[in-house]
Amino acid sequence: MNAVTIVVGTLCILAIAYRLYGTFMTVKVLKIDESRQTPAHKLEDGQNYVPTNKWVAFGHHFAAIAAAGPLVGPILAAQFGYLPGLIWLLVGAVIGGAVHDMVVLFASMRRDGKSLSEVAKDELGPVAGFLTGLAMLFIIIITMAGLSMVVLGALERNPWGTFAVGMTIPIAMGVGLYYKKTGNLKLATTVGFLLIMFCVAIGHYLNGTWLGELLTFEKSTLAIILPVYAFFAAALPVWLLLAPRDYLSTFMKIGVFGGLIVGVFFVNPTVQFPAITEFVHGGGPIVAGPVWPFISITIACGAISGFHAFISSGTTPKMLDHWRDIKPVAFGSMLVECVVGVMALIAAISMQPADYFAINSTPEAFNKLGMETVYLNELEQQVQQDLNGRTGGAVTLAAGMTYIFTEFPFFQKIAAYFYQFIILFEAVFILTAIDAGTRVARYLIQDFLGDFIKPLKRTDSIPANIIASAIASFCWGYLLFSGDISSIWVLFGVSNQLMASVGLIIGATVILKIANKRKYILTCLIPLAYIFATVMVGGYWMIANVYLNPGSAGFSMVNGIISIVMLILGVVILLAAIKKWSELWKIPQAELVQRSEAEIA
């Protein structure tokens, strides 16, 4: 099979899904009503609630949700062969991820932009709301630390990357100020984008200079700088830094993968991987577990992600100008992220399997496979980088993309530059999720702790915003500074999908209340049944075989306890939801819809 076949099929399936299923969800299931004010208009404050251009909101939302998951998840999942990952990306994104993001965003906007824990409290009761808030706090802190770990690896002793990423901050602030003053989005976008590209281009020449030495940081220093940046991104007005930075970063994200799509069409690389490998039953050098449930847990954000619930009930519902923007911003962003995941998968499976496993496995694990690398030595010379044993997926994406483009003769001369650019691109990709995620963590802390410390609950209070931002940044910054990728990232997969289950539970409850036909609840219940079963089986497997197994390299009592607590929280929330659904089911649907309308009037 050739890569073009996969790309064309993917784009056609997702385009049809957006046009048909997205419209069905908008019109029939959620019954979008343009006559109502969005929270951005209703509660406009110039800080958090700000009516925002649809495409700026799309840029912010996509940049915030598209983090490490769609980049490295499909690459790691290639261990099982190309077919399991491809199927789950397409089916999961349409049936699960896009629906999840859409219903969570709608549920939050329906409650004036409240966080998911507050929405859960309103829809399911105080106990479920409290447990949802507790789960969200745990998960968002773990998520921010895990995502940041990937950035540390990309920016460590990399002055080019540090300079280019750092310069996106003042550039974004300038774009935000200019757009707010003039309203000229096209000029602000053009100048901002050109400035970012200029910084990327000249950053390469900093190596060996005094400025390059100044910007050469170790991981321990970066582990302090990242939370400090995130603090300001969370505390400052959303229009000043977060939204314009994410908006501009989106051009780089879409541009790079757009370029990859074009490159795939010209080169049309042959898929080197088999459809299914011998590791589908477990025992792989990258993912130890079997293809199910770990294909879904490993791919994560590329198909469905609980992290998206933080954004869909955090910053985005406070920004939408019109209710109809929910479809392109939520449903559309998820499908675009699916494309990112598919392209990352192609970058991996276009490599020789032995080269892929040599990069993603430890040298000890690779030696046990009995494989011999094919083009890896040649690729290392082209990119001027040792690639063996660089686990985690990020390097594989850069190497895979470089491998595809070196089919162009002239490209071989700039292969090293391109490789470093992709590493930089990945860092920017992930950082946009970190700043938005920290802001969402701030909202959660204000909602959760505000019940006990009333002044902290006020989002229009500068001291309250600063305190909550500081708490959020410190918590995940501490994990980042004191932990490592093995102690944090493995926890992210299960907790991320557990959060997606909670989002679908809330969405199912809202649909049951507002839909004209009760069968529409199946749009949430079908993916919920699969994801919840996946989480429970995957969580139990990790607890029994890794976290609480003294013979495992990943043995960790702390991770085991946290996982058990997370799974218990998920079960209790589901039981509370089932109880609520049984109560609602007894009420005639017409009466239930009327009650629901009166509830938010």
Side-chain angles (χ1 to χ4, degrees):
M1 178 183 289
N2 292 329
V4 168
T5 305
I6 296 176
V7 174
V8 172
T10 294
L11 295 178
C12 290
I13 290 171
L14 297 183
I16 293 171
Y18 179 80
R19 178 67 180 87
L20 298 181
Y21 198 44
T23 302
F24 168 74
M25 290 295 302
T26 302
V27 178
K28 296 291 186 179
V29 180
L30 300 181
K31 301 188 301 185
I32 296 297
D33 183 2
E34 277 296 309
S35 65
R36 291 177 177 166
Q37 281 188 315
T38 64
H41 286 283
K42 184 179 178 181
L43 302 173
E44 183 175 2
D45 59 8
Q47 294 283 327
N48 301 300
Y49 291 85
V50 181
T52 306
N53 176 278
K54 175 174 64 176
W55 298 116
V56 175
F58 173 90
H60 155 71
H61 187 83
F62 174 73
I65 66 171
L71 293 179
V72 303
I75 287 174
L76 300 180
Q79 169 193 275
F80 301 115
Y82 71 81
L83 191 58
L86 182 61
I87 291 174
W88 174 240
L89 279 165
L90 294 176
V91 175
V94 174
I95 304 300
V99 171
H100 168 273
D101 294 6
M102 197 177 196
V103 296
V104 170
L105 179 56
F106 175 81
S108 178
M109 290 179 66
R110 189 170 171 269
R111 296 288 181 177
D112 291 334
K114 289 182 179 180
S115 70
L116 196 62
S117 62
E118 291 290 296
V119 175
K121 187 184 299 181
D122 292 337
E123 301 293 350
L124 298 176
V127 174
F130 176 83
L131 294 177
T132 299
L134 187 61
M136 291 176 72
L137 273 176
F138 270 105
I139 293 169
I140 194 68
I141 296 301
I142 293 169
T143 300
M144 293 301 97
L147 294 178
S148 299
M149 280 290 178
V150 182
V151 177
L152 295 190
L155 298 185
E156 181 187 16
R157 296 190 298 276
N158 185 357
W160 177 23
T162 303
F163 171 76
V165 171
M167 286 303 296
T168 62
I169 298 172
I171 292 172
M173 294 179 72
V175 168
L177 287 168
Y178 181 80
Y179 174 59
K180 187 164 183 67
K181 183 177 180 180
T182 66
N184 191 335
L185 180 61
K186 290 184 179 179
L187 181 60
T189 300
T190 302
V191 174
F193 180 69
L194 290 176
L195 286 174
I196 289 178
M197 290 299 99
F198 176 74
C199 291
V200 170
I202 67 171
H204 178 64
Y205 300 101
L206 294 179
N207 293 323
T209 67
W210 66 270
L211 183 56
E213 293 294 323
L214 188 66
L215 294 175
T216 302
F217 299 117
E218 297 296 327
K219 280 187 177 181
S220 57
T221 306
L222 289 168
I224 296 173
I225 293 174
L226 287 180
V228 171
Y229 157 72
F231 164 76
F232 286 104
L236 290 173
V238 67
W239 59 265
L240 180 59
L241 176 57
L242 188 145
R245 186 182 184 281
D246 290 357
Y247 172 66
L248 291 173
S249 298
T250 298
F251 284 93
M252 181 183 291
K253 293 179 178 184
I254 295 177
V256 167
F257 277 94
L260 179 57
I261 291 174
V262 173
V264 166
F265 271 95
F266 275 98
V267 176
N268 193 17
T270 301
V271 173
Q272 304 294 336
F273 268 61
I276 297 175
T277 70
E278 61 186 293
F279 303 117
V280 292
H281 302 296
I286 301 168
V287 181
V291 66
W292 187 82
F294 287 97
I295 189 69
S296 302
I297 290 172
T298 304
I299 286 179
C301 306
I304 181 170
S305 169
F307 174 68
H308 297 187
F310 293 103
I311 309 302
S312 293
S313 66
T315 50
T316 304
K318 301 173 178 65
M319 297 169 61
L320 292 199
D321 196 20
H322 301 282
W323 285 92
R324 62 176 177 268
D325 294 346
I326 289 176
K327 179 185 173 184
V329 170
F331 202 94
S333 289
M334 182 62 245
L335 297 189
V336 173
E337 184 168 357
C338 175
V339 175
V340 172
V342 170
M343 298 311 299
L345 178 65
I346 287 174
I349 62 178
S350 295
M351 302 180 69
Q352 291 291 331
D355 295 345
Y356 163 86
F357 282 110
I359 296 174
N360 283 284
S361 310
T362 62
E364 296 79 15
F366 180 71
N367 289 335
K368 294 178 182 179
L369 297 178
M371 295 181 174
E372 293 291 335
T373 59
V374 182
Y375 298 118
L376 189 61
N377 292 338
E378 181 182 340
L379 187 59
E380 287 179 332
Q381 292 176 358
Q382 291 174 338
V383 303
Q384 300 172 22
Q385 180 84 55
D386 177 24
L387 301 178
N388 278 286
R390 291 184 174 266
T391 59
V395 169
T396 307
L397 176 63
M401 290 182 68
T402 304
Y403 178 76
I404 290 173
F405 277 88
T406 49
E407 290 294 320
F408 296 104
F410 72 89
F411 186 85
Q412 297 181 12
K413 298 179 181 179
I414 61 169
Y417 184 93
F418 180 80
Y419 170 84
Q420 292 293 343
F421 173 76
I422 298 302
I423 292 293
L424 162 69
F425 150 77
E426 292 179 275
V428 172
F429 210 110
I430 296 166
L431 276 174
T432 53
I434 291 172
D435 54 24
T438 304
R439 193 177 191 92
V440 172
R442 187 201 102 190
Y443 294 148
L444 286 171
I445 289 170
Q446 289 183 274
D447 281 341
F448 196 69
L449 298 183
D451 290 334
F452 308 98
I453 308 172
K454 296 300 181 185
L456 193 62
K457 204 173 186 72
R458 293 182 54 192
T459 57
D460 59 345
S461 167
I462 294 178
N465 292 348
I466 291 175
I467 292 171
S469 299
I471 293 173
S473 301
F474 174 80
C475 287
W476 70 258
Y478 176 78
L479 287 177
L480 177 66
F481 188 81
S482 61
D484 56 60
I485 192 66
S486 62
S487 65
I488 294 174
W489 186 260
V490 291
L491 207 56
F492 168 66
V494 172
S495 64
N496 180 54
Q497 299 298 285
L498 177 62
M499 194 66 246
S501 298
V502 175
L504 288 169
I505 287 171
I506 304 302
T509 307
V510 172
I511 290 173
L512 184 58
K513 285 184 174 183
I514 68 167
N516 292 329
K517 297 180 180 179
R518 284 180 167 168
K519 66 180 180 180
Y520 290 159
I521 194 176
L522 291 174
T523 57
C524 286
L525 290 188
I526 290 174
L528 172 61
Y530 174 83
I531 291 297
F532 198 81
T534 297
V535 166
M536 291 298 131
V537 174
Y540 173 79
W541 195 96
M542 291 298 293
I543 292 168
N545 294 280
V546 180
Y547 299 144
L548 301 185
N549 179 10
S552 170
F555 174 73
S556 171
M557 189 66 69
V558 173
N559 285 359
I561 293 172
I562 292 176
S563 297
I564 291 171
V565 171
M566 290 292 175
L567 296 182
I568 291 173
L569 286 173
V571 171
V572 174
I573 292 170
L574 179 61
L575 291 176
I578 292 174
K579 181 176 180 294
K580 184 68 174 181
W581 296 340
S582 63
E583 294 172 356
L584 295 176
W585 205 272
K586 296 175 184 178
I587 304 172
Q589 190 64 20
E591 181 183 340
L592 192 58
V593 171
Q594 286 182 340
R595 287 189 188 182
S596 177
E597 293 294 328
E599 225 175 49
I600 61 169

